[in-house]
Amino acid sequence: MITDIQGSRLRRASAVAVTTGAMLAGAVLSAMPAQAATAPSVAAKGGYVMNNANGTSLYTKAADTRRSTGSTTKIMTAKVVLSQPNLNLDAKVTIQKAYSDYIVANDWASNAKLIVGDKVTVRQLLYGLMLPSGCDAAYALADKFGTGSTRAARVKSFIGKMNTAAKNLGLKNTHFDSFDGIGKGSNYSTPRDLTKIASSAMKNSMFRTVVKTKKYTAKTITKSGSVRTMAPWENTNKGLLNGYSGTIGVKTGSGPEAKFCLVFAATRNGKTVIGTVLASTSVAQRETDAKKMMNYGFAKLG
């Protein structure tokens, strides 16, 4: 009998010890941080990702180093146009020979293949600017929304508005000397600054609509008054729009100095990450870099 009582006491004590040990182990485990996502290795010389909801940095690589931005400059071009007071998206702009001459004169100028003499709406020009990355569309918008008595004065005025917009966002490492990214040696930004420009632009519903559109067909008015159906404009960012779930934008860029750039944004489970790749090594690699960075950003957000 005494033996049975002692055995029972021993079993209870053992059970208490096991339970206490399990509780202690659980407490230790719960106190340990979750396995941190490993920061990706990317080919781009510069990169940045942030939480679009509050601007918190999620990934940085030379995020504040100034670099040429290529056609990602056009994000600011669109932002300036869309911030004009009393903007009429259906206002018509007549395509000038100067715009097509500009394309011919610049080997790296991508274009929307606008036809001289056609009347094109501001809305259509925004699609021509952001989807095929039309430098002719950028020129038309700068000419339309700059102020001055000459085309040169209007373009200078418009670029001034771009720099003012950057200053108003508090950006210290951004300067524009062109409306399309074909700079004259003083067109630069950083991954962090470009991401902030894009985040600001994405607050505009028209901008959001344009940059997530994969294909757009414009119907313009010719000199004779007839309707011209343009060849469809395809988004140069279709690699991400088609190949990364949740992608909502934003803009590609490239050039001899800029190399391969990409400003990107995606939403998953109600959370949006937005970021920039500058000076990657190829079209495919900039997309790979962006995907790695977004995966890492989403992992950090949980």
Side-chain angles (χ1 to χ4, degrees):
M1 184 78 172
I2 293 171
T3 304
D4 288 345
I5 292 170
Q6 288 174 334
S8 177
R9 285 172 178 168
L10 284 168
R11 283 193 293 274
R12 283 200 301 272
S14 177
V16 168
V18 169
T19 303
T20 304
M23 288 171 66
L24 287 169
V28 170
L29 285 171
S30 64
M32 292 175 66
Q35 182 67 34
T38 303
S41 173
V42 299
K45 290 183 178 178
Y48 181 75
V49 178
M50 75 180 192
N51 178 354
N52 195 51
N54 57 19
T56 302
S57 297
L58 300 172
Y59 173 87
T60 62
K61 178 181 179 180
D64 299 306
T65 301
R66 296 175 177 181
R67 299 188 188 279
S68 177
T69 57
S71 285
T72 61
T73 297
K74 290 167 182 157
I75 297 169
M76 183 59 96
T77 308
K79 175 177 161 57
V80 168
V81 170
L82 289 166
S83 67
Q84 296 304 297
N86 304 313
L87 177 67
N88 178 8
L89 290 170
D90 296 315
K92 291 182 172 58
V93 176
T94 302
I95 303 304
Q96 306 295 316
K97 185 172 183 294
Y99 312 157
S100 60
D101 287 348
Y102 176 80
I103 296 295
V104 173
N106 291 279
D107 291 340
W108 273 80
S110 47
N111 72 93
K113 299 183 179 177
L114 299 171
I115 309 297
V116 175
D118 277 12
K119 289 181 172 60
V120 185
T121 66
V122 171
R123 185 192 314 275
Q124 292 167 337
L125 286 173
L126 286 167
Y127 279 99
L129 173 78
M130 299 304 284
L131 270 62
S133 197
C135 295
D136 45 356
Y139 197 165
L141 289 166
D143 193 6
K144 166 72 174 174
F145 292 103
T147 56
S149 57
T150 65
R151 184 172 293 119
R154 291 190 291 274
V155 167
K156 183 178 180 180
S157 162
F158 186 86
I159 295 168
K161 291 182 181 183
M162 294 169 69
N163 285 314
T164 297
K167 193 173 295 183
N168 290 343
L169 287 173
L171 308 182
K172 306 292 186 186
N173 292 306
T174 296
H175 184 266
F176 300 106
D177 69 0
S178 74
F179 47 72
D180 58 1
I182 301 178
K184 302 167 187 67
S186 191
N187 200 92
Y188 57 79
S189 189
T190 68
R192 190 189 307 269
D193 279 10
L194 262 178
T195 301
K196 289 180 178 180
I197 292 168
S199 179
S200 175
M202 289 290 272
K203 292 175 182 175
N204 183 283
S205 61
M206 181 62 193
F207 185 89
R208 291 196 304 273
T209 297
V210 171
V211 297
K212 72 180 180 184
T213 300
K214 296 176 184 178
K215 186 183 289 189
Y216 179 87
T217 301
K219 294 182 183 295
T220 63
I221 306 301
T222 68
K223 286 180 185 177
S224 64
S226 62
V227 174
R228 185 195 308 281
T229 301
M230 299 288 289
W233 291 324
E234 293 197 7
N235 200 318
T236 56
N237 192 29
K238 61 185 176 183
L240 284 188
L241 288 168
N242 292 326
Y244 189 84
S245 175
T247 297
I248 55 174
V250 176
K251 184 74 184 73
T252 63
S254 61
E257 186 182 357
K259 304 306 178 189
F260 297 90
C261 310
L262 181 56
V263 180
F264 51 83
T267 299
R268 290 183 177 179
N269 300 318
K271 297 172 182 177
T272 299
V273 298
I274 187 164
T276 298
V277 162
L278 289 185
S280 195
T281 54
S282 68
V283 168
Q285 189 60 52
R286 72 184 173 193
E287 290 174 6
T288 298
D289 289 347
K291 289 175 183 177
K292 285 182 180 180
M293 290 162 63
M294 285 191 284
N295 286 342
Y296 181 67
F298 282 124
K300 288 193 78 173
L301 290 177

